[in-house]
């Protein structure tokens, strides 16, 4: 079952300790083994993505030796955004959430202070000025760049409107 990407769904999760859109592709002896490995891999991948975002790439590099067993206690939950499987293969996209207090305490050991609350979100309405004139809701590189930023989980969440019928009726270029 496929669901829309988080940046394009109706409800947008804003949480400093959530990492949406984490992709894994695992091949193993059978689909069940591949999925089990993918569930371990996605936790590790999301952990390092979160550390890079909240601390720095340097801190993430210092932690590269951490095992899945060392990372697991920081995990709060996993949500499957989309998945497919075939004999011996599992491909999935997940949102991975981590325990705020444990992550804050852990990162404090690396002199990283993570706020307990996010700021109020900022709404960005990207208007692209192209050769055919301004574009607001249509597909364009400026809008896509803001969506790809996945800024919903930042300390200051960045929200990009969906561009659905309510949005297009409310605002034009």
């Amino acid at each position: 079952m496929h669901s829309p990407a988080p940046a394009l769904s109706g409800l947008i999760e804003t949480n400093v300790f959530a990492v949406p859109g984490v992709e894994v592709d695992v091949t193993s002896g059978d689909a069940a083994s591949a999925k089990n490995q993918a569930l371990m891999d996605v936790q590790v991948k999301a952990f390092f993505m979160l550390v890079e975002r909240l601390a720095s790439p340097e801190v993430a590099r210092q932690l590269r030796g951490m095992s899945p067993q060392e990372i697991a206690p920081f995990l709060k939950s996993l949500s499957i955004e989309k998945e497919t499987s075939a004999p011996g293969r599992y491909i999935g996209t997940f949102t991975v959430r981590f325990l705020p207090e444990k992550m804050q305490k852990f990162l404090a050991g690396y002199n990283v202070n993570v706020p307990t609350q996010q700021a109020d979100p900022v709404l960005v309405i990207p208007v692209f000025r192209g050769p055919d004139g301004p574009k607001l809701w249509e597909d364009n590189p400026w809008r896509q760049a803001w969506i790809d930023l996945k800024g919903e989980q930042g300390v200051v969440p960045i929200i990009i409107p969906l561009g659905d019928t309510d949005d297009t009726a409310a605002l034009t270029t």
Side-chain angles (χ1 to χ4, degrees), residues 26 28-38:
V26 177
S28 188
D30 58 75
S33 297
K35 184 173 183 174
N36 289 338
Q37 183 61 49

Side-chain angles (χ1 to χ4, degrees), residues 32-165:
S33 297
K35 184 173 183 174
N36 289 338
Q37 183 61 49
L39 292 173
M40 297 298 283
D41 291 355
V42 76
Q43 294 174 45
V44 172
K45 187 174 181 180
F47 178 82
F48 289 109
M49 291 169 74
L50 181 67
V51 169
E52 280 190 25
R53 187 175 76 214
L54 296 180
S56 69
E58 292 77 24
V59 172
R61 275 193 293 277
Q62 290 176 24
L63 301 173
R64 281 292 171 197
M66 287 183 70
S67 70
Q69 293 75 20
E70 293 172 302
I71 291 170
F74 296 100
L75 184 70
K76 180 178 181 181
S77 66
L78 294 170
S79 298
I80 299 171
E81 294 175 25
K82 62 183 176 183
E83 67 179 345
T84 56
S85 61
R89 188 169 182 197
Y90 178 86
I91 302 169
T93 304
F94 294 79
T95 294
V96 184
R97 293 169 200 82
F98 293 90
L99 295 164
E101 299 80 20
K102 283 194 173 196
M103 287 302 299
Q104 286 172 313
K105 185 176 178 182
F106 178 76
L107 291 173
Y110 292 88
N111 296 318
V112 177
N113 182 16
V114 181
T116 56
Q117 301 267 329
Q118 283 182 303
D120 290 336
V122 173
L123 178 67
V124 174
I125 302 172
V127 177
F128 179 73
R129 291 191 177 146
D132 300 333
K135 293 182 179 184
L136 179 59
W137 303 116
E138 301 86 354
D139 286 334
N140 67 67
W142 187 233
R143 178 172 171 71
Q144 193 58 51
W146 279 99
I147 290 170
D148 291 346
L149 180 64
K150 295 183 170 108
E152 301 88 5
Q153 278 64 43
V155 174
V156 177
I158 300 171
I159 306 298
I160 311 303
L162 298 174
D164 59 12
T165 54

